Amino acid sequence: MKDLFLKNGYAKLDRLIPNSEVENLRVLYDELLQDKERTLGLRSDLGGGEGGTVEKITQIMRPSMVEPKLLETISYLLALDHVKDMLGEDMELDFDMLINKAPHTNTPTPWHQDAAYWIKMPDKRSASCWIALDEVYEENGCMWFIPKDGDTILPHKHYTEGGALHCETDAINAECIPLKPGGCTFHDGFTLHYSRGNTTDSQRRALILNFRPKAMIQLEREQGVDHTGERKVRNK
């Protein structure tokens, strides 16, 4: 997995956490999805649907600040162990987030690079662990990746007003990564990725944990970046 991650910018792990942990995370996850009061200020619609009756792509940033029980689960520790193995012992959790695609919303997450959202950092090591809490496949929004080609950031802009960033890219080499609950992918901040909209009867729940070197987290905080607030292009 380490070799694939370093070569392509992404890798798949069929099983990160056991089913018992998946069930525990689902309970905490659904409570946060339903509690708009506690998640106020951290919650938005990546699909650009603010103010609508249904959130197409619910994003809750830094959920463990609202629900510290998340940090007590083994998912954070196991993901960090893999990231340290791939990128070094100085890697730490920078931020976490929940991204849910509601049933029949059919709203894609467009092609983008996560690094477009971040400030420029001298140490570019990063890894996002995308943990599936449901079975994920093409029709409900599993991840697609394009093998990374260096650390170049393509021009990004908002896909919809207030929604996710996106960039134009040739997706001919894109790979679809279906997962069972408890499986995960790891991807680099410069790796292009995308997911289709959810056209099924159920939710597509994902917990995402982002890791980077401790010194770079300190640099972000010194510049006022805590991964809450407005979505915008910071790394041009």
Side-chain angles (χ1 to χ4, degrees):
M1 187 174 72
K2 177 179 179 179
D3 291 342
L4 285 173
F5 181 86
L6 294 176
K7 176 184 177 183
N8 295 327
Y10 66 95
K12 170 186 176 181
L13 186 62
D14 287 326
R15 172 68 67 176
L16 175 70
I17 55 175
N19 289 333
S20 58
E21 179 81 330
V22 171
E23 292 299 330
N24 186 26
L25 286 170
R26 283 174 176 171
V27 171
L28 298 174
Y29 196 111
D30 288 346
E31 288 175 354
L32 289 169
L33 277 181
Q34 295 162 15
D35 195 336
K36 293 189 176 182
E37 183 175 344
R38 278 204 300 162
T39 58
L40 184 66
L42 300 172
R43 183 189 195 109
S44 60
D45 189 343
L46 273 174
E50 271 79 347
T53 56
V54 176
E55 294 170 333
K56 301 178 181 67
I57 308 175
T58 302
Q59 181 185 56
I60 300 175
M61 298 300 297
R62 306 293 298 274
S64 58
M65 293 196 310
V66 178
E67 182 47 85
K69 290 180 181 177
L70 286 168
L71 295 174
E72 298 171 9
T73 67
I74 61 172
S75 51
Y76 287 68
L77 292 174
L78 292 174
L80 179 57
D81 283 345
H82 285 291
V83 171
K84 284 184 173 181
D85 179 63
M86 292 188 293
L87 293 175
E89 287 295 319
D90 60 338
M91 301 298 288
E92 291 189 359
L93 178 71
D94 184 1
F95 65 95
D96 54 355
M97 61 180 166
L98 310 182
I99 299 182
N100 178 65
K101 293 198 171 187
H104 299 291
T105 46
N106 196 21
T107 303
T109 303
W111 285 105
H112 69 283
Q113 297 161 290
D114 291 340
Y117 288 97
W118 306 338
I119 61 171
K120 290 183 179 180
M121 287 176 263
D123 189 335
K124 295 178 171 57
R125 287 177 294 154
S126 68
S128 294
C129 180
W130 194 99
I131 306 170
L133 301 184
D134 300 289
E135 183 173 0
V136 294
Y137 43 95
E138 292 185 47
E139 290 77 14
N140 72 349
C142 71
M143 295 284 274
W144 292 70
F145 297 100
I146 297 173
K148 189 178 76 161
D149 183 17
D151 293 338
T152 299
I153 299 177
L154 299 176
H156 283 67
K157 60 183 179 181
H158 285 284
Y159 189 64
T160 57
E161 184 176 353
L165 298 181
H166 88 111
C167 63
E168 300 294 334
T169 187
D170 182 353
I172 191 170
N173 293 323
E175 180 182 6
C176 173
I177 310 287
L179 293 168
K180 298 290 185 182
C184 73
T185 57
F186 293 91
H187 67 272
D188 179 277
F190 297 88
T191 303
L192 285 154
H193 55 287
Y194 152 93
S195 65
R196 294 182 180 177
N198 184 1
T199 59
T200 71
D201 294 331
S202 59
Q203 296 183 132
R204 191 231 61 184
R205 293 167 289 189
L207 169 65
I208 299 95
L209 313 178
N210 186 272
F211 303 91
R212 72 179 73 253
K214 180 179 180 179
M216 296 301 98
I217 297 173
Q218 292 174 340
L219 176 63
E220 287 181 317
R221 301 301 184 265
E222 289 167 0
Q223 297 192 24
V225 176
D226 64 358
H227 302 284
T228 64
E230 183 184 2
R231 281 189 291 268
K232 60 183 179 179
V233 180
R234 291 183 172 88
N235 200 342
K236 298 180 182 179

